[in-house]
Amino acid sequence: LLADAMRSHGVEVILEADTARVLGEERATGLELADGRVIPANLVVCAVGIRPETTLARAAGLAANRGVLVDDGLATNDPDVFALGECAEHLGVVYGLVEPAYEQARTLAARLAGETRTRYPGSTIATNLKVSGVGVFSAGDFMASEGTEIIVYSDAKLGVYKKLVISDERLVGVVLIGDTTDGNWYLDLIRSGASISDFRDDLAFGRGAAMRLAA
């Protein structure tokens, strides 16, 4: 659905393609794909995210994998050193977004102020974008892991797609395309872990329908 919307704006979309190499010596002349296809180009833009810089931390004796390893209190293996944000790795995850860094900062600030029971449980990531004028929202485990259930609502004519991932009568992931109005409501359900059993059948129709049923 999103690819069709982008194509309607004159953007060619190539899916399931791996890049082999960028062609050109002094400047880019094209992109060669793994299957041998060549896409002519004079500008290549790579969206690659972030990579933690751990050289200094390792030299100082701090344990590091992809990022500097921290526990639920944001402490490293040195009790006098803490880490948060894009350099920190918590439970195998390095977050490349600002909201988890804020959540980590609040946890660490509380602990440094003496609230030693405060813990950082990890963050539920949500992304809200406009792609070629089309709203796109995703949050949680939207790829669906083993043991989860999936509810899909799709209306190609209206350009609306919703994918809801459920585990043990709780919403754990969501993808919205076209209509992202209820994105924050779905996100609150994921973060709270509240049961959706009272309005499960109407969950895909949004907050209004679900709350009327629950009432």
Side-chain angles (χ1 to χ4, degrees), residues 147-161:
T148 57
E149 303 173 70
I150 300 175
I151 296 176
V152 174
Y153 170 84
S154 181
D155 190 324
K157 186 175 182 180
L158 293 178
V160 173
Y161 173 89

Side-chain angles (χ1 to χ4, degrees), residues 101-157:
Y102 289 154
E103 294 174 354
Q104 292 171 355
R106 285 192 288 269
T107 297
L108 182 53
R111 291 184 67 85
L112 294 177
E115 299 176 20
T116 55
R117 293 186 178 181
T118 303
R119 294 287 186 271
Y120 172 67
S123 296
T124 299
I125 300 300
T127 304
N128 197 358
L129 305 171
K130 278 281 187 179
V131 182
S132 294
V134 179
V136 178
F137 180 90
S138 65
D141 180 20
F142 57 83
M143 295 301 290
S145 55
E146 185 177 353
T148 57
E149 303 173 70
I150 300 175
I151 296 176
V152 174
Y153 170 84
S154 181
D155 190 324
K157 186 175 182 180

Side-chain angles (χ1 to χ4, degrees), residues 9-190:
H9 287 80
V11 179
E12 182 181 358
V13 180
I14 301 175
L15 302 176
E16 298 180 2
D18 293 323
T19 301
R21 61 189 178 119
V22 177
L23 303 177
E25 297 296 333
E26 296 182 358
R27 63 178 182 82
T29 59
L31 193 68
E32 181 181 335
L33 302 183
D35 61 8
R37 284 180 293 171
V38 173
I39 304 172
N42 53 27
L43 177 64
V44 176
V45 179
C46 301
V48 296
I50 60 97
R51 182 174 64 184
E53 173 53 71
T54 60
T55 304
L56 179 61
R58 292 176 189 274
L62 300 183
N65 187 25
R66 287 183 58 218
V68 180
L69 299 180
V70 297
D71 61 18
D72 290 350
L74 287 311
T76 67
N77 59 306
D78 184 326
D80 294 324
V81 180
F82 300 84
L84 58 80
E86 295 170 342
C87 74
E89 179 178 337
H90 176 260
L91 297 179
V93 180
V94 175
Y95 298 98
L97 299 171
V98 68
E99 187 173 358
Y102 289 154
E103 294 174 354
Q104 292 171 355
R106 285 192 288 269
T107 297
L108 182 53
R111 291 184 67 85
L112 294 177
E115 299 176 20
T116 55
R117 293 186 178 181
T118 303
R119 294 287 186 271
Y120 172 67
S123 296
T124 299
I125 300 300
T127 304
N128 197 358
L129 305 171
K130 278 281 187 179
V131 182
S132 294
V134 179
V136 178
F137 180 90
S138 65
D141 180 20
F142 57 83
M143 295 301 290
S145 55
E146 185 177 353
T148 57
E149 303 173 70
I150 300 175
I151 296 176
V152 174
Y153 170 84
S154 181
D155 190 324
K157 186 175 182 180
L158 293 178
V160 173
Y161 173 89
K162 298 181 181 181
K163 175 183 178 182
L164 307 171
V165 182
I166 298 170
S167 176
D168 296 325
E169 292 302 303
R170 288 169 173 75
L171 185 67
V172 296
V174 60
V175 174
L176 308 175
I177 298 177
D179 180 8
T180 60
T181 306
D182 291 315
N184 286 333
W185 177 65
Y186 287 125
L187 178 59
D188 288 342
L189 287 176
I190 294 172

